[in-house]
mmCIF file of all heavy atoms in Angstrom:
data_model
loop_
_atom_site.group_PDB
_atom_site.id
_atom_site.type_symbol
_atom_site.label_atom_id
_atom_site.label_comp_id
_atom_site.label_asym_id
_atom_site.label_seq_id
_atom_site.Cartn_x
_atom_site.Cartn_y
_atom_site.Cartn_z
ATOM 1 N N VAL A 55 -6.918 -12.165 1.473
ATOM 2 C CA VAL A 55 -7.915 -12.221 2.551
ATOM 3 C C VAL A 55 -8.739 -10.935 2.425
ATOM 4 O O VAL A 55 -8.386 -10.054 1.644
ATOM 5 C CB VAL A 55 -7.244 -12.281 3.955
ATOM 6 C CG1 VAL A 55 -6.391 -13.535 4.085
ATOM 7 C CG2 VAL A 55 -6.395 -11.030 4.239
ATOM 8 N N LYS A 75 -10.216 -2.407 14.726
ATOM 9 C CA LYS A 75 -9.486 -3.667 14.929
ATOM 10 C C LYS A 75 -8.946 -3.819 16.350
ATOM 11 O O LYS A 75 -8.566 -4.920 16.750
ATOM 12 C CB LYS A 75 -8.281 -3.741 13.970
ATOM 13 C CG LYS A 75 -8.618 -4.158 12.562
ATOM 14 C CD LYS A 75 -7.367 -4.180 11.686
ATOM 15 C CE LYS A 75 -6.336 -5.226 12.057
ATOM 16 N NZ LYS A 75 -6.515 -6.531 11.417
ATOM 17 N N ARG A 77 -6.183 -2.373 17.058
ATOM 18 C CA ARG A 77 -4.763 -2.572 16.692
ATOM 19 C C ARG A 77 -3.927 -1.408 17.210
ATOM 20 O O ARG A 77 -4.333 -0.251 17.075
ATOM 21 C CB ARG A 77 -4.685 -2.653 15.178
ATOM 22 C CG ARG A 77 -3.296 -2.731 14.563
ATOM 23 C CD ARG A 77 -3.483 -3.160 13.117
ATOM 24 N NE ARG A 77 -2.327 -3.012 12.298
ATOM 25 C CZ ARG A 77 -2.048 -3.864 11.296
ATOM 26 N NH1 ARG A 77 -2.835 -4.888 11.058
ATOM 27 N NH2 ARG A 77 -1.001 -3.684 10.544
ATOM 28 N N PRO A 161 -5.496 -3.291 6.340
ATOM 29 C CA PRO A 161 -4.984 -4.507 6.967
ATOM 30 C C PRO A 161 -6.019 -5.608 6.755
ATOM 31 O O PRO A 161 -7.094 -5.341 6.196
ATOM 32 C CB PRO A 161 -4.942 -4.124 8.450
ATOM 33 C CG PRO A 161 -6.117 -3.207 8.611
ATOM 34 C CD PRO A 161 -6.265 -2.463 7.287
ATOM 35 N N SER A 162 -5.723 -6.810 7.184
ATOM 36 C CA SER A 162 -6.736 -7.854 7.153
ATOM 37 C C SER A 162 -7.906 -7.420 8.045
ATOM 38 O O SER A 162 -7.706 -6.770 9.077
ATOM 39 C CB SER A 162 -6.137 -9.175 7.631
ATOM 40 O OG SER A 162 -5.460 -8.986 8.863
ATOM 41 N N ALA A 163 -9.129 -7.781 7.624
ATOM 42 C CA ALA A 163 -10.340 -7.258 8.282
ATOM 43 C C ALA A 163 -10.763 -8.124 9.471
ATOM 44 O O ALA A 163 -11.867 -8.658 9.500
ATOM 45 C CB ALA A 163 -11.462 -7.148 7.255
ATOM 46 N N ASN A 164 -9.865 -8.241 10.442
ATOM 47 C CA ASN A 164 -10.146 -9.043 11.633
ATOM 48 C C ASN A 164 -9.742 -8.251 12.873
ATOM 49 O O ASN A 164 -8.873 -7.381 12.775
ATOM 50 C CB ASN A 164 -9.319 -10.341 11.591
ATOM 51 C CG ASN A 164 -7.858 -10.066 11.328
ATOM 52 O OD1 ASN A 164 -7.460 -9.786 10.199
ATOM 53 N ND2 ASN A 164 -7.045 -10.110 12.373
ATOM 54 N N LYS A 167 -4.929 -9.674 16.254
ATOM 55 C CA LYS A 167 -4.409 -11.002 16.619
ATOM 56 C C LYS A 167 -5.309 -12.179 16.239
ATOM 57 O O LYS A 167 -4.950 -13.330 16.480
ATOM 58 C CB LYS A 167 -4.098 -11.104 18.120
ATOM 59 C CG LYS A 167 -2.917 -10.257 18.530
ATOM 60 C CD LYS A 167 -2.325 -10.740 19.819
ATOM 61 C CE LYS A 167 -1.012 -10.042 20.082
ATOM 62 N NZ LYS A 167 -0.261 -10.589 21.157
ATOM 63 N N LYS A 168 -6.490 -11.891 15.704
ATOM 64 C CA LYS A 168 -7.398 -12.995 15.370
ATOM 65 C C LYS A 168 -7.187 -13.468 13.934
ATOM 66 O O LYS A 168 -6.398 -12.895 13.192
ATOM 67 C CB LYS A 168 -8.843 -12.565 15.609
ATOM 68 C CG LYS A 168 -9.152 -12.332 17.092
ATOM 69 C CD LYS A 168 -8.919 -13.602 17.883
ATOM 70 C CE LYS A 168 -9.126 -13.436 19.366
ATOM 71 N NZ LYS A 168 -8.732 -14.636 20.121
ATOM 72 N N SER A 170 -7.437 -14.066 10.061
ATOM 73 C CA SER A 170 -7.820 -13.209 8.933
ATOM 74 C C SER A 170 -9.060 -13.795 8.265
ATOM 75 O O SER A 170 -9.187 -15.014 8.144
ATOM 76 C CB SER A 170 -6.692 -13.143 7.909
ATOM 77 O OG SER A 170 -5.561 -12.515 8.452
ATOM 78 N N GLU A 199 -2.322 -14.227 3.656
ATOM 79 C CA GLU A 199 -1.929 -12.859 3.364
ATOM 80 C C GLU A 199 -0.738 -12.814 2.403
ATOM 81 O O GLU A 199 0.029 -13.771 2.295
ATOM 82 C CB GLU A 199 -1.540 -12.128 4.661
ATOM 83 C CG GLU A 199 -2.630 -12.096 5.723
ATOM 84 C CD GLU A 199 -2.704 -13.373 6.549
ATOM 85 O OE1 GLU A 199 -1.984 -14.350 6.232
ATOM 86 O OE2 GLU A 199 -3.494 -13.391 7.508
ATOM 87 N N ARG A 214 7.496 -11.517 5.508
ATOM 88 C CA ARG A 214 6.359 -12.414 5.769
ATOM 89 C C ARG A 214 6.198 -13.331 4.564
ATOM 90 O O ARG A 214 6.089 -12.853 3.443
ATOM 91 C CB ARG A 214 5.073 -11.601 5.988
ATOM 92 C CG ARG A 214 3.851 -12.482 6.253
ATOM 93 C CD ARG A 214 2.593 -11.685 6.613
ATOM 94 N NE ARG A 214 2.041 -10.995 5.460
ATOM 95 C CZ ARG A 214 1.009 -10.142 5.516
ATOM 96 N NH1 ARG A 214 0.442 -9.865 6.672
ATOM 97 N NH2 ARG A 214 0.563 -9.551 4.427
ATOM 98 N N GLY A 243 3.974 -5.383 14.549
ATOM 99 C CA GLY A 243 2.796 -6.076 14.015
ATOM 100 C C GLY A 243 3.108 -7.505 13.646
ATOM 101 O O GLY A 243 2.219 -8.335 13.516
ATOM 102 N N HIS A 248 -0.577 -14.617 16.705
ATOM 103 C CA HIS A 248 -1.316 -13.895 15.674
ATOM 104 C C HIS A 248 -2.179 -14.939 15.011
ATOM 105 O O HIS A 248 -1.981 -16.109 15.219
ATOM 106 C CB HIS A 248 -0.285 -13.360 14.674
ATOM 107 C CG HIS A 248 -0.715 -12.094 13.997
ATOM 108 N ND1 HIS A 248 0.177 -11.134 13.643
ATOM 109 C CD2 HIS A 248 -1.923 -11.636 13.598
ATOM 110 C CE1 HIS A 248 -0.462 -10.132 13.046
ATOM 111 N NE2 HIS A 248 -1.737 -10.423 13.022
ATOM 112 N N TYR A 249 -3.110 -14.524 14.176
ATOM 113 C CA TYR A 249 -3.888 -15.481 13.400
ATOM 114 C C TYR A 249 -4.499 -16.557 14.294
ATOM 115 O O TYR A 249 -4.410 -17.742 13.999
ATOM 116 C CB TYR A 249 -3.015 -16.152 12.328
ATOM 117 C CG TYR A 249 -2.171 -15.193 11.528
ATOM 118 C CD1 TYR A 249 -0.788 -15.166 11.665
ATOM 119 C CD2 TYR A 249 -2.758 -14.303 10.649
ATOM 120 C CE1 TYR A 249 -0.016 -14.269 10.941
ATOM 121 C CE2 TYR A 249 -1.991 -13.411 9.924
ATOM 122 C CZ TYR A 249 -0.632 -13.397 10.072
ATOM 123 O OH TYR A 249 0.126 -12.523 9.367
HETATM 124 MG MG1 MG B 16 -3.477 -9.026 9.660
#
Side-chain angles (χ1 to χ4, degrees):
V55 299
K75 280 179 66 89
R77 175 166 167 146
S162 50
N164 51 283
K167 291 201 170 190
K168 293 300 177 187
S170 295
E199 303 82 354
R214 180 174 73 186
H248 209 146
Y249 313 111

